[in-house]
Each structure stands twice: as structure tokens, then as C-alpha cells.
Amino acid sequence: MTAAVEGTRPGRVEVHGVHKAFGTLEVLRGVDLVVEPGTVTVVLGPSGSGKSTLLRSINHLEKVDRGFVALDGELVGYHRKPHRGTERLHELPEKDLLRQRTRFGFVFQSFNLFPHLTALENVVEAPVSAQGRRRSEVEAEARELLGRVGLADRAGAYPRQLSGGQQQRVAIARALAMRPAVLLFDEPTSALDPELVGEVLGVIEDLARDGTTMVVVTHEIGFARRAADRVVFMDAGRVVEAGPPEQVLDHPTHERTRAFLAKVL
């Protein structure tokens, strides 16, 4: 394992009674979820079930309407203030929110690399600008991480010179460079050509074997079977079923889960 990953303290994520609506559309309807440190949780479900919104709510890219998210017992995005004998939640100041958010690594489906920066520079930028770390130290770690994802020889390449799979592997290295407690993946292979999916899933599976805490939204059932400690099935903004992959994938108890798996397996 690289030094960057060794410096990570695994995080415990608690999602409690989370609701989120966009206008009149209720996307999350009281979601409860616990992710234990060092485990991989795979979130499955049909399009529109709330999977990506849940992921974005975990690191406060989306503000929840009700409920809360906590990382290692610390509220995400808010702090409690006494008010007339009770406690109210107040949103964190931007600088505190940004500091907190660095504890989450987020890998998007569309890569989101800076096109004017090389692969190495994409990995180095956030730890230097957001965490104030020394560029020389971060650059050494970034080279290690690019080697970790099989791209040691592509450090000087720009995103346009990389395949989609290579760009996504750079994005994973960039997320790891922040030494996050938790890695969040939002359908990391959905924008890739089928022949490139395996190389990205292989990197994620390596991270799983190393005990990296991860929440992965995906449609890749084979990956869920191989890498997940827990599979969560969502539908219509709710967690319908959750458990070990052999239970949820092979012996689902809910009719909605069975109907979904019958279409994708």
C-alpha cells in the first residue's frame, strides 16, 4: 500500500433519517445507513431511486432537508448550537465545510479532470491548494499513486491524451491523494466503453482488499459480488433491502429487489 493510503484513518459513516426533495420531487425518503470503517458498501437500484443523491448528501454536496449524516461521530455540514433549552443545527462556515469535505474522496462518473493540467498536476493540485501541503511532498506521493493505478508512465500526459479508463484511474489517484477517510464512487464506470470497465473496477477492487472504506454506486453486479461487504438496494428514495452480497443478490427477500435483479443478471 502507498504512503498516502497508509496515512488514512478509516471513517464510520452514519446516515440517519435523511430526506431530500427537489421542489415537489421527493428523492430521499428517510434513508438510514451505516458504513463501518474498512468496509465496502455497494448501492444498487434503478435510475431515479436516489442513489447518487444519497452519495452527494454524505459529503454535503447536497444539503439534506431532514435527518443528518455523521463521520466518526461528527455531523457533516452542520454543528449544534443551544437554543432555548434545545439544540438547533447550523450550517458550518464555508472554510470548515471545505476542511470537513477533504475527509471524503469523491470519484464522479464523468472524471472531472482539469483539461489544462497533466495527470500528475491533477493529482497534486487539491492537496496543495486545499490542505496546504508541500508541493514536493505531494508530488512524490502523487507519483506513487499514479503507479498504484497503473499509470506511472503517463504522469506527464494531459486528459485529452488518455483513454476514459485512464482518466478515471487518474481521478481515483486524485481522490486518494487527499488521504480521505472514505471514498465515494458515483457510477465510476458508466461513462466508459465496455472494454475499459475492467481496468477501473480492478483498481477499486485492489483498494477494497487494502481495507479502504468505500461507498460505491454502480450497476456492476459482478463487482458487487466480488468486492462488497454489504449491498444496499434502493428504490423510490428508500433502502428496500440491505445485507451481505450473497443474501441480497442470491436470496433477496423483497419483491422489488427480485424484479430488479431479474432484469440485470
Side-chain angles (χ1 to χ4, degrees):
M1 201 190 306
T2 68
V5 179
E6 287 174 342
T8 297
R9 181 170 71 88
R12 186 176 195 267
V13 178
E14 297 171 75
V15 178
H16 182 76
V18 163
H19 290 253
K20 177 66 182 179
F22 298 101
T24 59
L25 179 62
E26 198 173 1
V27 180
L28 299 177
R29 307 182 184 197
V31 174
D32 294 305
L33 178 68
V34 175
V35 178
E36 297 292 349
T39 66
V40 179
T41 297
V42 169
V43 184
L44 303 175
S47 297
S49 59
K51 307 182 301 296
S52 293
T53 301
L54 171 62
L55 208 64
R56 293 169 66 86
S57 298
I58 288 175
N59 75 339
H60 205 67
L61 283 174
E62 295 287 357
K63 300 177 187 179
V64 304
D65 298 328
R66 283 161 42 208
F68 66 84
V69 178
L71 176 59
D72 290 328
E74 179 185 2
L75 284 177
V76 176
Y78 299 94
H79 62 101
R80 291 187 173 95
K81 274 188 178 179
H83 180 81
R84 296 179 182 176
T86 63
E87 286 187 331
R88 285 190 175 177
L89 296 184
H90 295 260
E91 194 161 13
L92 289 173
E94 187 68 16
K95 65 177 178 61
D96 293 333
L97 179 57
L98 290 174
R99 173 197 58 78
Q100 194 177 63
R101 200 173 276 152
T102 63
R103 301 199 62 218
F104 296 93
F106 204 115
V107 179
F108 300 86
Q109 56 184 286
S110 55
F111 322 142
N112 286 14
L113 299 179
F114 293 111
H116 62 289
L117 299 180
T118 65
L120 181 67
E121 290 165 344
N122 264 284
V123 177
V124 167
E125 181 61 29
V128 171
S129 60
Q131 295 179 321
R133 290 161 59 193
R134 286 199 316 272
R135 183 169 292 274
S136 58
E137 168 202 324
V138 175
E139 188 170 312
E141 274 188 19
R143 290 186 184 279
E144 276 190 64
L145 286 169
L146 286 173
R148 175 99 169 83
V149 300
L151 293 173
D153 61 339
R154 304 295 280 154
Y158 289 89
R160 66 180 180 276
Q161 298 169 317
L162 301 172
S163 71
Q166 290 171 329
Q167 289 185 61
Q168 192 62 294
R169 285 187 279 152
V170 173
I172 293 170
R174 178 180 60 182
L176 287 169
M178 298 293 285
R179 299 175 174 173
V182 182
L183 276 178
L184 308 174
F185 292 86
D186 188 9
E187 300 194 22
T189 61
S190 65
L192 299 178
D193 292 334
E195 66 268 21
L196 301 177
V197 168
E199 67 186 58
V200 172
L201 292 181
V203 169
I204 301 173
E205 288 175 37
D206 283 346
L207 295 174
R209 283 189 285 271
D210 283 341
T212 305
T213 308
M214 294 188 281
V215 183
V216 186
V217 169
T218 184
H219 292 292
E220 298 289 340
I221 303 298
F223 167 79
R225 197 182 295 280
R226 293 189 303 271
D229 297 289
R230 195 158 180 255
V231 173
V232 174
F233 178 74
M234 290 185 67
D235 187 48
R238 294 186 173 94
V239 173
V240 172
E241 191 163 355
E246 58 272 18
Q247 174 195 316
V248 176
L249 299 178
D250 297 331
H251 306 287
T253 59
H254 197 282
E255 176 55 38
R256 188 67 191 90
T257 316
R258 289 197 292 269
F260 174 80
L261 290 172
K263 291 180 181 177
V264 298
L265 286 178

